[in-house]
Amino acid sequence: MFWADKIAANAQGEQVVNDSKTPSGRVHVGSLRGVIIHDVIYRALKSAGKPVKFTYGVDDYDALDTVPKYLDAEKFTPYLGFPLCNVPSPGDSASDYAKYFMGEFLEVFEYLGVKPEIYYLRDLYRSGALNSYIDTFLQNAHLVRQAYKEASKADRPENWYPFQVICENCGKIATTVVTDYNGKEVYYTCEPSATNYVDGCGHSGWVSPFDGKGKLPWKVEWVAKWQQIGVTIELAGKDHSQKGGSRDVANAICRKVLREQPPFHSPYEFILVNGTKMSSSKGVGSSAKEIAELLPPELLRFLMLRTQPKTVINFAPNYETVTRLFRDYDTLMEKYKSHPETTPEDPKQDKELQPLFYSQLGDEVKPFEPFDLSTLISLLQIPHLDIKEEVKQRCDRPLTDYDWQIIDRRIAAAQKWLDDYADEEEKLVLYFEEIPERAKELTEEQVNYLHHLAENLENASSWDGESLQTLLFTTTKEIGMKPKKAFPAVYLTFMGKERGPKAGNLLSYLDKEFVVGRVRDVVKMKQEAIAQ
């Protein structure tokens, strides 16, 4: 069984699947893994016919703890330590900082077909929905301290209370320390040295902790959310799931203070981009929006789902990784097309196909005519070529509207990759007007290969990529030359470098008369140079 189906099979009664995010900056693609994992669990439960709801929380009462490098430091530094929802918006599209960055992330949700019920922590606090939990945790602060100690060996002073007030004087929430509670009000101090990134103002006094005057520390807040929302399933990233980590502490608080069982949990691994774990507040790595602009939605979902949750995904948006992702997806689609009776509910299904089912935006797998991304990347770089007409000629059957919908997405992805991700050596630079300077490096053996290749190309009856690839190999066998020595001659002749896209495809993109003429010109040039 697929991992999500196993979770669904073991679930009893009504389920609430929950995930959440602190919108401290541009949301990185790593956060999408949790979104997709929880969405797939929700879909698996629905597919199993079990009552289920999917919720997503925005932790916008957390403090702004750093100014991302892509924002104006002078404008936002004065708001360090403020609740994110009380920080001005970086743009006109939202009322505040939290909604600005969350709005960008929610656009990606829509793009990926993820549709949870969204709730904001500001609303839970300000409406009084969390008042009873705040009172319970303050009244039982000694038990909360014990839970921290037992789960993570973290000592809290006996006058430490699990609450952070929004300072009435300076507006910061990160710097306040609560040391007493009388059942109606807490006593707090805005400590000058409470954090290493912003100073408190020193103000102190008694204030009500209710109706949005402050927040619970997030490990305690996590438990309050579980109870308020009714969460039964919530997974967490590996960093929160280690022994003695955040999830262990929250579980201990849930059991010790509320005497409730915490939701089902299983850890999942990070997404690395070029081997680097990403941080939204530090601006490290690719944002969810940037990757969504590169990959069509079904491919972005597939990236998340073809790897087991407990395995790291290392995504480098280079040529090999991106084109292989599309090929792997198309391979599964072709396999499904040969067994269309397979469904997610069918226990006899091929497990390999499950990521394909859950990669779709809806509940239905709609087959299409695949068109190779690497071919599109090459075709887009051929001057004066009508890309859609070229696609049409290369397909074996008439394309449907849905085929074109998929192909249009791929054309956009190929162009985006060329514009934003391709290194210069990965780009297809063809020499049309003149012979590349590096063609002078060809050896006599390579020139002999090109001489025979020109004759074979002249007599070629088919001008498609596979036929030409076969012809290129056949020519090497005719003269007893190894392909790894012969093929660089082709690339040097047309591109001025020793490597490039699949050589047969490369030639098929070009006019036959031009290809034969160029090969013969290079042979003639080298023969004249040798004769001298």
Side-chain angles (χ1 to χ4, degrees), residues 276-291:
T276 304
K277 181 179 180 289
M278 293 155 294
S279 164
S280 57
S281 60
K282 293 181 181 177
V284 176
S286 299
S287 75
K289 185 175 182 180
E290 288 167 342
I291 295 298

Side-chain angles (χ1 to χ4, degrees), residues 370-383:
F371 199 90
D372 185 54
L373 185 76
S374 60
T375 301
L376 290 173
I377 288 173
S378 298
L379 291 174
L380 283 169
Q381 297 177 83
I382 307 297

Side-chain angles (χ1 to χ4, degrees), residues 149-202:
K149 177 72 171 176
E150 293 169 6
S152 65
K153 296 182 171 52
D155 280 314
R156 295 287 187 273
E158 289 195 8
N159 65 345
W160 177 87
Y161 283 77
F163 198 75
Q164 292 174 283
V165 173
I166 299 174
C167 180
E168 301 159 288
N169 182 56
C170 69
K172 298 185 186 78
I173 197 170
T175 52
T176 58
V177 177
V178 170
T179 53
D180 201 1
Y181 178 54
N182 63 17
K184 292 184 178 180
E185 294 181 316
V186 292
Y187 185 81
Y188 77 98
T189 302
C190 189
E191 294 281 0
S193 58
T195 76
N196 59 6
Y197 62 87
V198 69
D199 296 332
C201 68

Side-chain angles (χ1 to χ4, degrees), residues 427-477:
K427 291 185 178 180
L428 175 62
V429 179
L430 292 165
Y431 287 74
F432 287 97
E433 303 301 326
E434 57 187 19
I435 295 173
E437 182 68 20
R438 288 197 62 193
K440 295 177 181 178
E441 301 173 11
L442 291 165
T443 66
E444 286 190 47
E445 187 181 20
Q446 287 175 321
V447 172
N448 183 45
Y449 171 71
L450 291 176
H451 172 73
H452 286 81
L453 180 62
E455 293 298 320
N456 290 339
L457 289 170
E458 179 75 66
N459 297 322
S461 57
S462 298
W463 202 254
D464 61 273
E466 288 304 317
S467 299
L468 291 174
Q469 189 75 5
T470 300
L471 184 149
L472 288 164
F473 275 106
T474 301
T475 306
T476 64
K477 293 177 180 177

Side-chain angles (χ1 to χ4, degrees), residues 368-407:
F368 57 88
E369 184 69 17
F371 199 90
D372 185 54
L373 185 76
S374 60
T375 301
L376 290 173
I377 288 173
S378 298
L379 291 174
L380 283 169
Q381 297 177 83
I382 307 297
H384 315 303
L385 183 143
D386 184 330
I387 185 73
K388 291 199 171 185
E389 187 59 35
E390 193 68 26
V391 167
K392 192 184 301 182
Q393 291 178 10
R394 289 169 179 270
C395 290
D396 296 331
R397 63 168 180 80
L399 297 171
T400 66
D401 289 344
Y402 185 65
D403 290 333
W404 276 115
Q405 182 181 330
I406 297 295
I407 291 169

Side-chain angles (χ1 to χ4, degrees), residues 323-523:
T323 56
R324 187 173 64 244
L325 177 70
F326 280 77
R327 285 196 303 272
D328 290 348
Y329 181 84
D330 290 347
T331 297
L332 285 188
M333 181 60 77
E334 288 299 300
K335 188 172 185 179
Y336 169 74
K337 284 162 69 174
S338 65
H339 301 285
E341 69 282 356
T342 303
T343 67
E345 298 84 1
D346 183 357
K348 297 178 183 178
Q349 68 177 330
D350 189 330
K351 183 181 176 183
E352 186 184 2
L353 289 174
Q354 278 292 52
L356 180 66
F357 282 101
Y358 287 119
S359 295
Q360 307 309 300
L361 274 66
D363 297 325
E364 178 187 1
V365 178
K366 294 181 66 176
F368 57 88
E369 184 69 17
F371 199 90
D372 185 54
L373 185 76
S374 60
T375 301
L376 290 173
I377 288 173
S378 298
L379 291 174
L380 283 169
Q381 297 177 83
I382 307 297
H384 315 303
L385 183 143
D386 184 330
I387 185 73
K388 291 199 171 185
E389 187 59 35
E390 193 68 26
V391 167
K392 192 184 301 182
Q393 291 178 10
R394 289 169 179 270
C395 290
D396 296 331
R397 63 168 180 80
L399 297 171
T400 66
D401 289 344
Y402 185 65
D403 290 333
W404 276 115
Q405 182 181 330
I406 297 295
I407 291 169
D408 285 343
R409 285 181 191 164
R410 295 191 174 196
I411 292 172
Q415 189 63 61
K416 182 71 175 175
W417 183 84
L418 282 167
D419 293 342
D420 294 353
Y421 296 93
D423 294 331
E424 285 307 311
E425 60 267 23
E426 292 177 312
K427 291 185 178 180
L428 175 62
V429 179
L430 292 165
Y431 287 74
F432 287 97
E433 303 301 326
E434 57 187 19
I435 295 173
E437 182 68 20
R438 288 197 62 193
K440 295 177 181 178
E441 301 173 11
L442 291 165
T443 66
E444 286 190 47
E445 187 181 20
Q446 287 175 321
V447 172
N448 183 45
Y449 171 71
L450 291 176
H451 172 73
H452 286 81
L453 180 62
E455 293 298 320
N456 290 339
L457 289 170
E458 179 75 66
N459 297 322
S461 57
S462 298
W463 202 254
D464 61 273
E466 288 304 317
S467 299
L468 291 174
Q469 189 75 5
T470 300
L471 184 149
L472 288 164
F473 275 106
T474 301
T475 306
T476 64
K477 293 177 180 177
E478 287 175 3
I479 63 172
M481 186 177 181
K482 292 182 178 179
K484 68 178 182 180
K485 290 185 177 180
F487 278 53
V490 177
Y491 298 123
L492 286 168
T493 297
F494 292 94
M495 301 174 63
K497 54 187 178 182
E498 294 183 359
R499 287 185 295 274
K502 192 174 180 179
N505 287 342
L506 171 66
L507 298 184
S508 75
Y509 307 147
L510 306 174
D511 178 73
K512 179 177 179 178
E513 185 177 347
F514 167 75
V515 170
V516 174
R518 167 59 61 81
V519 173
R520 286 184 167 153
D521 287 346
V522 168
V523 170

